[in-house]
Amino acid sequence: QKEVEQDPGPLSVPEGAIVSLNCTYSNSAFQYFMWYRQYSRKGPELLMYTYSSGNKEDGRFTAQVDKSSKYISLFIRDSQPSDSATYLCAIWGSSASKIIFGSGTRLSIRP
Amino acid sequence: NAGVTQTPKFQVLKTGQSMTLQCAQDMNHNSMYWYRQDPGMGLRLIYYSASEGTTDKGEVPNGYNVSRLNKREFSLRLESAAPSQTSVYFCASQEGANYGYTFGSGTRLTVV
C-alpha cells in the first residue's frame, strides 16, 4: 500500500465550478499536510501548508484535513482557467526525514 | 532572489554517456533533494542531503551519484546514462524540518 494515494484524473470542469481534490494516507503519524501546484513544464510550487485537522483558507483555496479518516482535500472556489495544472498532495511526519508526495491530479478548467 | 536554479534545462544524451546536473539555491537552506518525475509515477526521490557534508539514498538511487559541494550546491551525476533514465529531474531545497520544499524548474533529460 502506498503511503499516499491520489486519483490521477484527469479532471475537467467548467470555469466557475467548485473543484475538490483529494488524497488518502496510511500512517497516522503524519502531521503536516501540503498541496503543491505544478504548471506544465514547471516545478511544483507550494500552495497550502497545514498542520492540524480542520480547514485552512487562502483566497479561493481551502485545505481540509481529517486525521480520523486520514483524508485530505483541496477545494478551489470560482475556478479559473489559470488554475489548470497538476495538483500534488504531500505529507510529512516528525518520524520521517522527507516529504512524501502523491502522484498528482491533473486539473483542467474549461472557459 | 533566484530561489533554486537548475542547469541545463534540456539535455539529450546517448546511451553510455555521462553528465552532471547542477543545482544551486540562494536561500541558505540546509536540506536539498533530487527527484525524478515520470508520467504515472509521480515524484520519486533519488538522493537527498540533510545538511552540508551529508548525502543519503532515496527511493531510486541506482545509476546516480550526488555531491553536496557546499551549502548552496547539490549536483546529480549520471555515470553511464541508460534510456530508463529519460525523465524530468527536479532539485528542491528546504529551510527546515517543518517547512515545505522549494523546487527548481527542472531538467528534461532524454537518453537515446
Side-chain angles (χ1 to χ4, degrees):
Chain A
Q1 183 185 8
K2 286 185 179 179
E3 292 184 285
V4 184
E5 299 274 5
Q6 184 174 11
D7 187 334
L11 181 63
S12 180
V13 301
E15 182 176 355
I18 296 175
V19 176
S20 172
L21 304 169
N22 310 294
C23 288
T24 58
Y25 62 96
S26 58
N27 189 338
S28 58
F30 291 120
Q31 302 165 328
Y32 300 88
F33 308 92
M34 289 151 275
W35 285 94
Y36 285 78
R37 178 175 61 195
Q38 185 177 19
Y39 290 115
S40 180
R41 297 184 173 267
K42 300 289 186 183
E45 57 177 334
L46 183 62
L47 190 61
M48 299 284 284
Y49 190 117
T50 183
Y51 168 72
S52 59
S53 281
N55 294 349
K56 180 178 180 180
E57 192 171 315
D58 184 0
R60 297 184 294 110
F61 298 89
T62 300
Q64 186 176 81
V65 176
D66 182 348
K67 287 187 176 181
S68 62
S69 302
K70 301 189 187 68
Y71 195 83
I72 60 175
S73 300
L74 178 70
F75 297 97
I76 307 174
R77 292 185 301 280
D78 188 24
S79 56
Q80 305 293 311
S82 59
D83 296 327
S84 298
T86 296
Y87 290 80
L88 300 94
C89 62
I91 58 175
W92 182 79
S94 59
S95 61
S97 59
K98 55 197 181 299
I99 295 172
I100 298 170
F101 289 87
S103 56
T105 299
R106 190 149 52 101
L107 173 66
S108 175
I109 309 297
R110 306 188 303 270
Chain B
N1 190 342
V4 178
T5 302
Q6 290 184 238
T7 55
K9 293 191 183 306
F10 303 93
Q11 184 71 50
V12 178
L13 288 179
K14 293 182 179 179
T15 298
Q17 286 185 319
S18 63
M19 79 161 294
T20 299
L21 282 64
Q22 307 287 353
C23 175
Q25 52 94 6
D26 61 2
M27 298 170 286
N28 202 37
H29 288 177
N30 286 316
S31 301
M32 298 185 73
Y33 304 82
W34 275 106
Y35 284 88
R36 60 178 290 174
Q37 188 175 41
D38 303 288
M41 304 292 286
L43 286 164
R44 291 186 290 169
L45 182 64
I46 305 171
Y47 271 93
Y48 65 101
S49 170
S51 61
E52 184 180 357
T54 68
T55 60
D56 287 286
K57 294 179 180 179
E59 184 183 353
V60 288
N62 291 344
Y64 305 95
N65 284 300
V66 290
S67 295
R68 184 73 184 266
L69 303 170
N70 47 55
K71 192 170 186 179
R72 290 187 62 248
E73 299 172 287
F74 188 37
S75 62
L76 178 71
R77 183 161 178 83
L78 288 70
E79 290 291 351
S80 180
S84 60
Q85 294 178 305
T86 293
S87 187
V88 181
Y89 291 85
F90 288 103
C91 177
S93 69
Q94 185 185 29
E95 180 176 354
N98 294 353
Y99 293 82
Y101 294 170
T102 301
F103 283 87
S105 57
T107 295
R108 291 184 169 272
L109 176 66
T110 302
V111 183
V112 297

